[in-house]
């Protein structure tokens, strides 16, 4: 069955580009230019992913997303001309899976859509570790990471840091790389910020298992997740 994508975009020229990019990848695209029409489609529940413009003639895409998230985890990509930091952060905090700024590359957009669908098809990806006991469970849909069965109560930065480390266990990430992944505006932060969040993150992991430190510090290099050979 075809994957159906609901595109909510009021500019026909942009909608056409998106539709072309996605249909050439085999997706079925349903285009709506008004928020209220989009909500009718969303209520019908027949779509697999939502691409959402923020500035719509009859309302804000963010409001639509907020209402949607009360009832549905439908994978959502925000497509917006508004590159305001606040919109991006708000969109992601409201539960958007990704955020693409106009002007955009249609190929990149299609690649991001595929990546979101791939992630959504395995909502509770288990990071492979030596034994089930030491595993982290990353639930990207709910932005929750469980460590040895306990859901960690993480700040947004701690979550993004740990998620980045777990994505490639044993890879050493420099502070700059971690900052790129976890901070919307790296230039505004300092290396120390990473150290501070790693410290609070370690404290939370220690509360669950005082004997273990799955995050290794590499002096002068950065940090990595070490999942093998944990006691
Ligand atoms: Ca618009």
């Amino acid at each position: 069955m075809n994957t159906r994508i609901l595109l909510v975009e009021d500019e026909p020229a942009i909608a056409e580009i998106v539709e072309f990019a996605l249909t050439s990848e085999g997706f079925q695209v349903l285009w709506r230019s008004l928020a209220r029409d989009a909500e009718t489609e969303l209520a019908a529940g027949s779509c697999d992913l939502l691409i959402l413009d923020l500035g719509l003639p009859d309302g804000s895409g963010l409001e639509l997303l907020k209402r949607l998230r009360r009832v549905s985890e439908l994978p959502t990509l925000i497509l917006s001309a508004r590159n305001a930091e606040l919109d991006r952060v708000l969109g992601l905090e409201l539960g958007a899976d990704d955020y693409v700024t106009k002007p955009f590359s249609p190929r990149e957009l299609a690649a991001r859509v595929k990546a979101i669908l791939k992630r959504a098809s395995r909502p509770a990806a288990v990071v492979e570790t030596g034994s089930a006991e030491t595993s982290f469970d990353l639930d990207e849909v709910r932005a929750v990471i469980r460590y040895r069965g306990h859901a960690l109560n993480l700040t947004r930065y701690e979550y993004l840091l740990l998620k980045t480390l777990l994505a490639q266990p044993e890879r050493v990430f420099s502070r700059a790389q971690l900052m790129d992944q976890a901070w919307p505006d790296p230039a505004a932060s300092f290396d120390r910020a990473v150290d501070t969040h790693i410290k609070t993150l370690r404290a939370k992991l220690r509360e669950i298992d005082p004997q273990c430190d799955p995050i290794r510090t590499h002096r002068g290099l950065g940090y990595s997740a070490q999942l093998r050979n944990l006691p």
Side-chain angles (χ1 to χ4, degrees):
M1 203 185 75
N2 261 356
T3 303
R4 267 163 72 96
I5 296 175
L6 177 61
L7 168 64
V8 188
E9 168 62 69
D10 61 309
E11 290 171 63
I14 291 177
E16 230 170 81
I17 295 171
V18 174
E19 196 167 11
F20 181 77
L22 294 175
T23 48
S24 28
E25 295 283 346
F27 295 114
Q28 202 179 327
V29 178
L30 193 63
W31 172 40
R32 293 291 180 269
S33 50
L34 294 176
R36 63 167 176 270
D37 294 340
E39 296 207 53
T40 308
E41 289 305 330
L42 289 168
S46 61
C47 292
D48 304 293
L49 184 137
L50 168 68
I51 297 182
L52 182 62
D53 179 26
L54 292 188
L56 295 166
D58 64 335
S60 147
L62 288 176
E63 284 301 316
L64 190 153
L65 178 61
K66 204 192 279 180
R67 285 195 295 277
L68 174 69
R69 278 293 174 262
R70 288 192 197 122
V71 295
S72 161
E73 299 286 349
L74 184 72
T76 300
L77 180 146
I78 292 177
L79 179 63
S80 179
R82 293 151 59 171
N83 190 21
E85 183 56 32
L86 190 63
D87 280 341
R88 182 187 288 266
V89 170
L90 210 56
L92 296 174
E93 281 185 350
L94 283 175
D97 299 84
D98 207 346
Y99 194 110
V100 172
T101 309
K102 298 170 189 169
F104 58 94
S105 136
R107 287 182 66 165
E108 189 198 337
L109 181 78
R112 285 181 186 242
V113 162
K114 282 195 253 180
I116 295 173
L117 289 168
K118 201 169 155 193
R119 284 206 300 267
S121 67
R122 46 179 171 83
V126 176
V127 178
E128 282 301 324
T129 64
S131 75
E133 258 214 339
T134 62
S135 73
F136 284 90
D137 288 273
L138 174 59
D139 181 345
E140 292 197 71
V141 175
R142 289 172 195 81
V144 167
I145 299 175
R146 275 177 289 275
Y147 176 51
R148 303 195 163 179
H150 301 266
L152 294 164
N153 180 19
L154 302 176
T155 65
R156 200 169 77 87
Y157 290 141
E158 289 166 353
Y159 168 76
L160 292 169
L161 272 177
L162 186 55
K163 186 178 129 174
T164 303
L165 290 171
L166 292 174
Q168 289 165 278
E170 290 172 47
R171 170 179 162 186
V172 180
F173 289 89
S174 70
R175 289 175 178 81
Q177 286 165 336
L178 288 172
M179 215 167 264
D180 273 350
Q181 302 287 328
W183 270 257
D185 181 11
S189 308
F190 302 95
D191 279 6
R192 272 201 313 278
V194 172
D195 297 345
T196 305
H197 292 288
I198 290 278
K199 196 174 156 195
T200 54
L201 185 52
R202 273 185 170 139
K204 288 176 184 180
L205 298 175
R206 256 200 316 274
E207 275 174 28
I208 292 168
D209 185 343
Q211 310 302 321
C212 269
D213 185 3
I215 299 175
R216 183 180 296 172
T217 306
H218 299 262
R219 202 174 285 277
L221 293 174
Y223 297 98
S224 68
Q226 294 293 326
L227 305 180
R228 275 194 254 168
N229 305 321
L230 285 179

